[in-house]
Amino acid sequence: MSYLNDILEDKSVLRSIISIYLVGVIGFILIRPVIILLTPYILFLFGLVILFKIFVDNGKKIIPLYVYIFLAGLFIEILGVKTGIIFGRYSYGNVLGLGIYGVPFLIGLNWVVVVFSWNYFSSNVLKARNFLFRSLSAAIFAVIFDILMEPSAIAFSFWKWNGSVPVQNYIAWFVISFLFSLSLKNVKFKSNLPWIYIIVQSIFFLILDIY
């Protein structure tokens, strides 16, 4: 376990993440269909890496939180897709792989990664020691992340809206991210990899949005 942890803390891992997303930007411009095909596998792989790093920081006690946010995230998304009450009227495409009731399993994983990573950012970069401030700031940055992600996600056919993206979606993102963050009160935020990963992802979406 310690050997794997040393590998993941190595700068080569960070270089690999940055390189893959840089290739993604170039590939989106030149070979968009191939990049779209590879996207779910890349997200799944990096998601597991981030979850492993968080596990190293916290041990087995973190697993129930993984399960809670994954399942709750899926449940909320299913309600959202079926009713339109939570986020607005939207539906997922087939790009993100297998799912349940119209929601890809990868979306549940994404909720786990996004919530934890922005809490790592708030703790390690903003130095938020107050539990409520950390949760609040993490939720705000999660909304900013979604704002950056939406244009590219729509272009990648991850999901589509019945019209433009509603303000309701961002309000829901804030509330859900804040509530999930509240469950991380006793989490240890030691590693830098989770927050660096979410920053790289944000820059990736920003570049695509500008392009």
Side-chain angles (χ1 to χ4, degrees):
M1 182 70 74
S2 60
Y3 174 71
L4 284 175
N5 187 41
D6 291 341
I7 292 176
L8 292 176
E9 274 300 331
D10 192 87
K11 292 181 180 179
S12 63
V13 177
L14 301 180
R15 287 197 295 268
S16 297
I17 291 174
I18 294 172
S19 297
I20 288 175
Y21 274 98
L22 180 60
V23 169
V25 171
I26 298 172
F28 182 78
I29 298 172
L30 301 178
I31 49 172
R32 177 173 167 176
V34 176
I35 296 301
I36 291 176
L37 182 66
L38 293 176
T39 293
Y41 301 102
I42 294 172
L43 291 176
F44 179 71
L45 175 62
F46 282 154
L48 292 184
V49 170
I50 299 306
L51 294 193
F52 177 79
K53 282 303 302 174
I54 298 168
F55 176 82
V56 170
D57 285 351
N58 293 274
K60 295 180 180 179
K61 67 179 182 180
I62 205 68
I63 295 178
L65 280 176
Y66 286 167
V67 175
Y68 161 63
I69 296 178
F70 176 82
L71 293 179
L74 274 182
F75 179 72
I76 291 169
E77 292 279 354
I78 291 170
L79 284 180
V81 167
K82 297 301 181 183
T83 68
I85 293 175
I86 300 176
F87 302 98
R89 291 289 177 182
Y90 71 109
S91 60
Y92 285 99
N94 298 320
V95 176
L96 296 178
L98 297 175
I100 182 171
Y101 296 116
V103 177
F105 292 118
L106 197 56
I107 293 299
L109 175 62
N110 187 65
W111 272 111
V112 179
V113 172
V114 168
V115 169
F116 270 94
S117 295
W118 284 120
N119 275 274
Y120 266 80
F121 178 83
S122 294
S123 180
N124 294 349
V125 178
L126 301 183
K127 303 300 181 183
R129 295 295 175 257
N130 180 277
F131 163 58
L132 289 177
F133 175 71
R134 189 190 73 219
S135 300
L136 180 64
S137 57
I140 291 173
F141 278 102
V143 173
I144 295 173
F145 175 75
D146 185 50
I147 292 172
L148 294 174
M149 178 173 60
E150 284 291 344
S152 299
I154 294 170
F156 273 63
S157 297
F158 289 177
W159 56 77
K160 62 180 179 180
W161 294 92
N162 292 0
S164 59
V165 184
V167 175
Q168 172 186 351
N169 171 66
Y170 302 119
I171 295 174
W173 260 77
F174 174 79
V175 173
I176 295 167
S177 298
F178 179 69
L179 292 177
F180 280 159
S181 295
L182 290 178
S183 68
L184 309 187
K185 184 176 182 179
N186 297 317
V187 171
K188 297 176 182 178
F189 303 99
K190 297 178 181 179
S191 174
N192 288 314
L193 190 61
W195 72 260
I196 292 176
Y197 170 70
I198 204 69
I199 290 295
V200 171
Q201 224 184 11
S202 299
I203 294 172
F204 169 75
F205 287 128
L206 178 61
I207 293 173
L208 291 184
D209 293 345
I210 294 173
Y211 173 78

